[in-house]
Amino acid sequence: TQLLEQSPQFLSIQEGENLTVYCNSSSVFSSLQWYRQEPGEGPVLLVTVVTGGEVKKLKRLTFQFGDARKDSSLHITAAQPGDTGLYLCAGVTVTGTYKYIFGTGTRLKVLA
Amino acid sequence: EAQVTQNPRYLITVTGKKLTVTCSQNMNHEYMSWYRQDPGLGLRQIYYSMNVEVTDKGDVPEGYKVSRKEKRNFPLILESPSPNQTSLYFCASSFEYHDLGYGGYTFGSGTRLTVV
């Protein structure tokens, strides 16, 4: 059972556009993280959000953790070709055993 | 530089020919893990290791073996590879298992395996 659903699955946009990627679950998470995976490389951790409602900014990227800690979003302002890659959310549920789960992924392509 | 090093990056092999993918980390991490990544299926955990000599199955362990004789190394062994093991493999490490939710993983660059 996939507990972390990401949307959209694919996204192709022009340079300069804004976009939002969503990571949703019916489960509560103690924290959520976002990774970016560039073609031919392993995922790289971008951010960890821990508190419900928390907002973190990393240059043009804004990450938000839902108030109920069941969802998260990643907003990119003025996307650039260098933002191209696979974005993965991941986290640990608070219920049951401690298990680290990856989301289904969003593949982003930014066209110059 | 803190990193996870996997070798080889690319490998084409034939069905049934034993192979080993090496993984080494230089961060003194206790927790190490192997994942495979397939289109439409995402990252799936194969095996993990909490510490030296402590390994356990992940979600898709069939056809794989691992060992953890030293803290820094965690090789993945395919005793008799089959075409359904064609995939992109990642080794990853974290300071400790319960640190994952805060520090996340450091991943290697991946090994693209093709079994013909």
Side-chain angles (χ1 to χ4, degrees), chain B residues 15 35 43 47 51 62-63 66 69 107 116:
Chain B
T15 298
Y35 284 88
L43 281 164
Y47 267 94
N51 212 327
E62 294 76 23
V66 293
K69 294 184 170 60
F107 280 86
V116 297

Side-chain angles (χ1 to χ4, degrees), chain A residues 21-87:
Chain A
V21 175
Y22 299 94
C23 174
N24 292 298
S25 175
S26 57
S27 300
V28 177
F29 284 77
S30 59
S31 65
L32 270 177
Q33 299 167 323
W34 287 91
Y35 291 81
R36 178 169 65 211
Q37 183 180 3
E38 297 184 16
E41 296 297 329
V44 175
L45 182 68
L46 296 174
V47 76
T48 300
V49 285
V50 178
T51 307
E54 182 177 2
V55 177
K56 278 192 175 178
K57 292 193 174 186
L58 190 65
K59 296 184 181 177
R60 294 175 294 100
L61 278 60
T62 301
F63 305 87
Q64 185 161 8
F65 200 11
D67 291 340
R69 293 187 290 142
K70 291 184 177 182
D71 56 86
S72 181
S73 64
L74 158 60
H75 181 80
I76 301 179
T77 304
Q80 299 177 359
D83 296 326
T84 293
L86 177 68
Y87 288 82

Side-chain angles (χ1 to χ4, degrees), chain B residues 55-101:
Chain B
T55 63
D56 207 347
K57 298 177 181 178
D59 299 316
V60 288
E62 294 76 23
Y64 304 94
K65 283 175 58 177
V66 293
S67 68
R68 187 94 180 271
K69 294 184 170 60
E70 307 163 284
K71 197 171 189 178
R72 62 184 293 127
N73 295 323
F74 190 43
L76 179 69
I77 302 155
L78 284 73
E79 294 269 1
S80 183
S82 63
N84 65 10
Q85 292 178 299
T86 292
S87 186
L88 180 58
Y89 291 87
F90 287 102
C91 180
S93 72
S94 177
F95 181 66
E96 63 173 19
Y97 181 53
H98 287 89
D99 186 56
L100 276 173

